[in-house]
């Protein structure tokens, strides 16, 4: 895999700077124990994890994925992250976002280790409600929509935390620690600010996306296609292809539908028939052997599928194509 290094300042002096997040180690899971869930604009926000964690030198978090958004901020230390198939270096002051279904792996530096401010949030689009535009809600709706658009299109690479979203982790923790009136509001606002400040890392001052984002759906479709092409000649299931690209079968079906594929079975049959048609014309092999070579262990089933989709039997197709070629 290709390793990509971003142009950032080295963090050789981090160890001698004041480290404000040390206080969060007193009770590292405090914020996620609050069972925070609230409405923001037209979205429901539920906190699943929200904490500071430490990785020992050389510690590896193997490839995994989540069904929610996961924000990774690096306040101290360094390491690498692999996002699908690209490796990036991480330094203090950087962050990256893994959206639902994005496979990633993280390794802490072999000498310094790494600390991470981690936020897992489940974000759900809520149904429209009567009167939802009253009392200034229209502004919040528009802002949350713009933020979610930026997060959904977020490029798969680390960024510098130029809008200081990390400080919002500490602000929320100190609000919880104080227990004073208004703590909940401060915590809620801190979380929203993390979402907004992370989203702003990829947009310019006019609010336009600066960098082209990788189309994850297109990437998944290409991976599924390639796996089918490489394995079509043996029994193959939707579940196996989904497992190979590490998404659910439902997500894979949505990917297929996006690119005009009505069903996995139909797509697989069409590809098999394409290869069978080529062999029927280019060789004198029997229909039975061709069927077995291209994933049809039952010759009768091949005849049924072939006639349904091609309007004739395999032998009739061979004869028609060969006669056309000799004319």
């Amino acid at each position: 895999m290709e390793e990509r290094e971003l142009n950032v300042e080295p963090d050789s002096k981090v160890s001698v700077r004041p480290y404000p997040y040390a206080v969060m180690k007193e009770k590292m899971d405090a914020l996620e124990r609050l069972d925070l869930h609230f409405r923001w604009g037209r979205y429901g926000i539920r906190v699943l994890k929200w904490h500071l964690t430490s990785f020992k030198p050389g510690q590896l978090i193997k490839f995994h994925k989540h069904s929610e958004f996961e924000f990774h901020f690096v306040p101290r230390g360094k390491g690498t992250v692999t996002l699908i198939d690209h490796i990036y270096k991480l330094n203090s002051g950087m962050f990256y976002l893994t959206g639902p279904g994005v496979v990633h792996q993280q390794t802490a530096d072999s000498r310094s280790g790494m600390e991470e401010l981690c936020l897992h949030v489940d974000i759900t689009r809520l149904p429209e409600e009567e009167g939802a535009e009253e009392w200034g809600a229209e502004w919040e709706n528009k802002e949350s929509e713009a933020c979610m658009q930026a997060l959904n299109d977020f490029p798969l690479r680390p960024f510098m935390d130029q809008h200081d979203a990390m400080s919002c982790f500490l602000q929320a923790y100190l609000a919880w620690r104080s227990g004073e009136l208004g703590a909940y509001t401060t915590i809620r606002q801190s979380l929203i600010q993390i979402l907004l400040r992370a989203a702003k890392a990829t947009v310019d001052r006019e609010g336009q996306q600066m960098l082209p984002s990788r189309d994850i759906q297109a990437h998944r479709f290409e991976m599924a296609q390639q796996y089918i092409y490489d394995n079509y000649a043996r029994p193959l299931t939707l579940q196996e292809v989904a497992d190979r690209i590490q998404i659910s079968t439902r997500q894979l079906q949505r990917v297929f539908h996006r690119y005009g594929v009505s069903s996995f079975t139909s797509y697989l049959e069409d590809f098999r028939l394409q290869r069978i048609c080529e062999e029927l014309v280019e060789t004198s092999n029997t229909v039975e052997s061709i069927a077995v070579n291209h994933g049809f262990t039952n010759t009768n089933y091949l005849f049924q599928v072939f006639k349904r989709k091609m309007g004739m039997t395999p032998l009739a197709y061979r004869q028609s194509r060969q006669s056309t070629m000799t004319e």
Side-chain angles (χ1 to χ4, degrees):
M1 289 185 288
E2 175 188 1
E3 182 174 298
R4 300 183 177 183
E5 182 172 3
L6 305 178
N7 294 323
V8 296
E9 293 294 326
D11 62 339
S12 59
K13 298 182 180 179
V14 171
S15 59
V16 299
R17 297 173 184 169
Y19 187 58
Y21 303 99
V23 67
M24 295 183 66
K25 295 184 179 182
E26 294 176 359
K27 192 170 182 61
M28 298 176 75
D29 62 348
L31 294 174
E32 56 201 50
R33 283 177 171 268
L34 297 178
D35 189 23
L36 289 168
H37 56 280
F38 55 87
R39 182 179 190 124
W40 181 44
R42 293 194 175 95
Y43 293 90
I45 311 293
R46 180 179 293 276
V47 174
L48 303 178
K49 294 183 180 180
W50 194 2
H51 58 247
L52 171 69
T53 188
S54 299
F55 299 105
K56 297 177 181 178
Q59 184 173 346
L60 169 67
I61 307 299
K62 294 183 178 181
F63 279 111
H64 63 289
K65 59 182 179 177
H66 307 282
S67 60
E68 68 276 0
F69 287 91
E70 181 179 9
F71 296 80
H72 313 252
F73 291 83
V74 182
R76 183 164 67 176
K78 55 186 177 180
T80 62
V81 60
T82 305
L83 297 170
I84 299 183
D85 55 1
H86 291 298
I87 303 174
Y88 298 92
K89 288 190 175 182
L90 294 171
N91 287 289
S92 60
M94 299 178 71
F95 82 100
Y96 64 97
L97 169 64
T98 50
V102 173
V103 181
H104 56 287
Q105 175 175 276
Q106 185 170 289
T107 307
D109 181 74
S110 59
R111 293 184 178 180
S112 66
M114 184 170 65
E115 295 200 345
E116 179 181 283
L117 293 163
C118 179
L119 172 65
H120 286 225
V121 285
D122 187 27
I123 304 177
T124 307
R125 176 79 184 216
L126 300 176
E128 304 248 355
E129 294 182 357
E130 185 177 352
E133 301 299 323
E134 296 179 0
W135 292 95
E138 180 180 2
W139 290 7
E140 184 173 290
N141 290 342
K142 289 180 178 179
E143 193 161 76
S144 63
E145 289 284 1
C147 179
M148 286 309 304
Q149 181 64 52
L151 295 180
N152 282 316
D153 294 339
F154 203 89
L156 284 181
R157 49 155 286 192
F159 285 81
M160 291 303 297
D161 182 24
Q162 57 184 319
H163 298 286
D164 196 23
M166 281 192 234
S167 66
C168 299
F169 283 81
L170 183 58
Q171 184 179 43
Y173 184 87
L174 294 177
W176 164 82
R177 196 183 187 207
S178 74
E180 295 177 353
L181 178 65
Y184 167 78
T185 299
T186 299
I187 294 170
R188 178 181 185 275
Q189 290 174 345
S190 297
L191 194 150
I192 292 172
Q193 282 298 313
I194 292 172
L195 304 185
L196 287 169
R197 295 183 188 192
K200 286 166 65 176
T202 67
V203 298
D204 61 21
R205 291 182 180 179
E206 285 71 43
Q208 300 299 313
Q209 194 82 16
M210 292 189 300
L211 298 174
S213 59
R214 185 174 192 177
D215 191 332
I216 299 302
Q217 297 291 68
H219 179 68
R220 288 170 174 166
F221 184 62
E222 291 170 3
M223 291 177 65
Q225 272 187 315
Q226 190 60 55
Y227 191 75
I228 291 170
Y229 295 168
D230 292 342
N231 299 277
Y232 79 95
R234 62 174 181 78
L236 196 60
T237 64
L238 177 69
Q239 183 68 60
E240 180 182 341
V241 179
D243 290 343
R244 176 63 181 82
I245 60 177
Q246 298 186 305
I247 61 175
S248 68
T249 55
R250 181 175 296 180
Q251 286 176 304
L252 181 55
Q253 287 172 326
R254 286 200 293 265
V255 170
F256 279 134
H257 290 161
R258 176 179 175 180
Y259 290 94
V261 177
S262 59
S263 72
F264 167 77
T265 300
S266 176
Y267 186 80
L268 179 59
E269 285 181 349
D270 286 346
F271 183 71
R272 284 172 170 168
L273 288 181
Q274 177 186 335
R275 300 303 304 274
I276 287 172
C277 287
E278 292 172 359
E279 191 166 343
L280 283 169
V281 174
E282 296 170 2
T283 74
S284 58
N285 296 337
T286 65
V287 174
E288 288 75 13
S289 66
I290 293 174
V292 172
N293 290 339
H294 297 287
F296 284 91
T297 55
N298 187 319
T299 307
N300 290 331
Y301 181 60
L302 169 62
F303 274 85
Q304 295 174 16
V305 173
F306 200 100
K307 192 165 186 179
R308 184 179 75 247
K309 295 203 172 189
M310 306 300 294
M312 62 183 77
T313 65
L315 286 176
Y317 178 85
R318 168 180 274 171
Q319 292 169 359
S320 66
R321 289 299 305 275
Q322 288 179 342
S323 62
T324 301
M325 294 171 65
T326 57
E327 290 179 357

